[in-house]
Amino acid sequence: MSSATSPAAAPQAPDRATGRERRYDIDLLRVLCTAAVVLVHASAEFIDAGHRTTGILGDTAGRFAVPAFFAMAGWAALSGAPVRDEARLLARLGRILRPMALWTALYLLASYVFGGNRGQAGEEAARALFGSVEAAFHLWYLYAYVPLLLLLGVVVLVVRGRALPRRSAVLLAALAVAPALLGDVTTVTGWSPPDWAWSVPLSSVVYAVAGAALLAAPRRGPRALWAAAAAVTLVVLAVYQLTVRHPAAYGSAAVAAVTFAVLGTVAGVRVPERARPLLARLSDASFGTYLVHLVFVTLLARPVAGHLPAGPWAPVALAVTTVAAAALSFAVSLLWGRLGWRAWLG
């Protein structure tokens, strides 16, 4: 599998027919961002348990991950592996939606069995069709990623003068008009449907397009300057989150600055030959890791944070539980990949 053909963050397997050279720097960025998402969700457990400063600093360190995922998606869709026909575009969507649907069902089932909300199981399942649900709250990203991938794919096909992607265009139009249509349904019938989440914010589109340009650029300037910018912007973001607003919006200037500084730091880095096979396997397992990691965060970070007394040990506990949750998540994703289950489990 080649990262030159794989759309960024996690969601899908690459097209094998393109024959492009693998971008190991993109693999590295994908693995780094996947681990950062684990850190963000582990940090949330520490914040909920009262370890606010530790949790916010951990969240700050991983805040760039989601915007960077959108940037990698834009690079893949516009430069790294643009779709050549509508069939390939719909196949890409299917490789996201199948695991997304299965894991949503699994998280809802776990919530029903262990969460004590059996009376709301039907309502939660219905909400999952419209938008992210609490049992699988981390999947909100895919409700934005799918429309983004569809939009960029349709644009590529239209600009390149291919046959009109009729089914994809109809699907894109349906996603666009759904919020207004649901509002009209409420007005006419009085039924209030769940909030519609199958949409992509303008900030995510900008991350995708600008990120594609940065990741595809042949020259990006001295890496040391990018790394210095990343360090400075992380400090600024930490101060912002501690004093002004937490969580910082992904579209905020502070998060954008950190994101592009990290992209510039990692893009184009040369990965040693001996590390490439392992990095490639971890990259291929990143979507599954993203889907399953909430299980290990809940099992490890939540009880540790809840029983940890106030004091200097919170940062150490956050680091240990994050590493453990990430390692276990990558391990089980690698396992089901070897078993040939990735098409359904991610």
Side-chain angles (χ1 to χ4, degrees):
M1 294 186 180
S2 166
S3 63
T5 59
S6 175
Q12 67 213 49
D15 299 328
R16 296 177 182 270
T18 59
R20 295 174 182 268
E21 182 181 355
R22 183 155 196 146
R23 286 279 302 267
Y24 289 99
D25 58 330
I26 301 295
D27 284 331
L28 177 61
L29 186 59
R30 185 181 298 114
V31 172
L32 176 64
C33 289
T34 303
V37 167
V38 180
L39 173 60
V40 167
H41 290 145
S43 298
E45 298 293 344
F46 277 74
I47 293 172
D48 291 343
H51 306 286
R52 182 177 181 273
T53 300
T54 293
I56 289 179
L57 291 177
D59 179 272
T60 298
R63 202 76 187 156
F64 68 89
V66 168
F69 280 161
F70 285 120
M72 286 185 283
W75 168 81
L78 299 174
S79 176
V83 292
R84 291 182 290 178
D85 53 52
E86 186 178 31
R88 285 181 173 83
L89 175 57
L90 295 177
R92 285 188 177 186
L93 295 178
R95 289 197 293 269
I96 301 169
L97 292 171
R98 279 193 304 271
M100 179 184 180
L102 179 59
W103 278 100
T104 298
L106 290 174
Y107 279 110
L108 287 172
L109 178 61
S111 178
Y112 177 80
V113 174
F114 303 109
N117 64 339
R118 298 187 177 185
Q120 300 178 353
E123 179 183 348
E124 285 285 285
R127 284 181 57 204
L129 298 175
F130 291 83
S132 184
V133 293
E134 181 60 29
F137 68 87
H138 65 306
L139 299 187
W140 73 265
Y141 162 74
L142 297 180
Y143 289 89
Y145 186 94
V146 169
L148 175 64
L149 189 67
L150 180 62
L151 173 63
L152 296 179
V154 169
V155 169
V156 166
L157 292 177
V158 170
V159 170
R160 291 192 169 195
R162 310 288 184 179
L164 178 66
R166 294 182 179 86
R167 290 173 294 171
S168 300
V170 169
L171 179 58
L172 187 62
L175 292 176
V177 303
L181 178 61
L182 292 175
D184 293 340
V185 169
T186 300
T187 301
V188 173
T189 67
W191 173 62
S192 181
D195 292 336
W196 184 257
W198 293 94
S199 60
V200 53
L202 179 59
S203 62
S204 297
V205 178
V206 173
Y207 278 126
V209 176
L214 178 58
L215 293 173
R219 295 183 180 86
R220 303 176 189 88
R223 194 177 310 281
L225 290 180
W226 286 107
V232 171
T233 53
L234 277 169
V235 172
V236 172
L237 178 58
V239 172
Y240 174 82
Q241 291 211 113
L242 286 167
T243 61
V244 180
R245 178 181 176 182
H246 175 266
Y250 286 120
S252 68
V255 174
V258 172
T259 299
F260 287 108
V262 170
L263 291 175
T265 301
V266 178
V269 69
R270 187 182 183 281
V271 177
E273 294 273 354
R274 63 183 179 276
R276 291 179 181 181
L278 175 59
L279 180 62
R281 290 196 296 272
L282 292 175
S283 176
D284 294 340
S286 61
F287 186 30
T289 300
Y290 162 77
L291 292 168
V292 75
H293 80 274
L294 201 61
V295 173
F296 296 107
V297 168
T298 302
L299 292 176
L300 297 176
R302 181 173 297 176
V304 169
H307 291 90
L308 190 70
W313 291 105
V316 176
L318 174 59
V320 171
T321 54
T322 297
V323 170
L328 289 169
S329 300
F330 272 109
V332 296
S333 181
L334 288 168
L335 175 60
W336 71 58
R338 291 180 65 88
L339 295 173
W341 298 347
R342 198 164 300 290
W344 286 99
L345 293 178

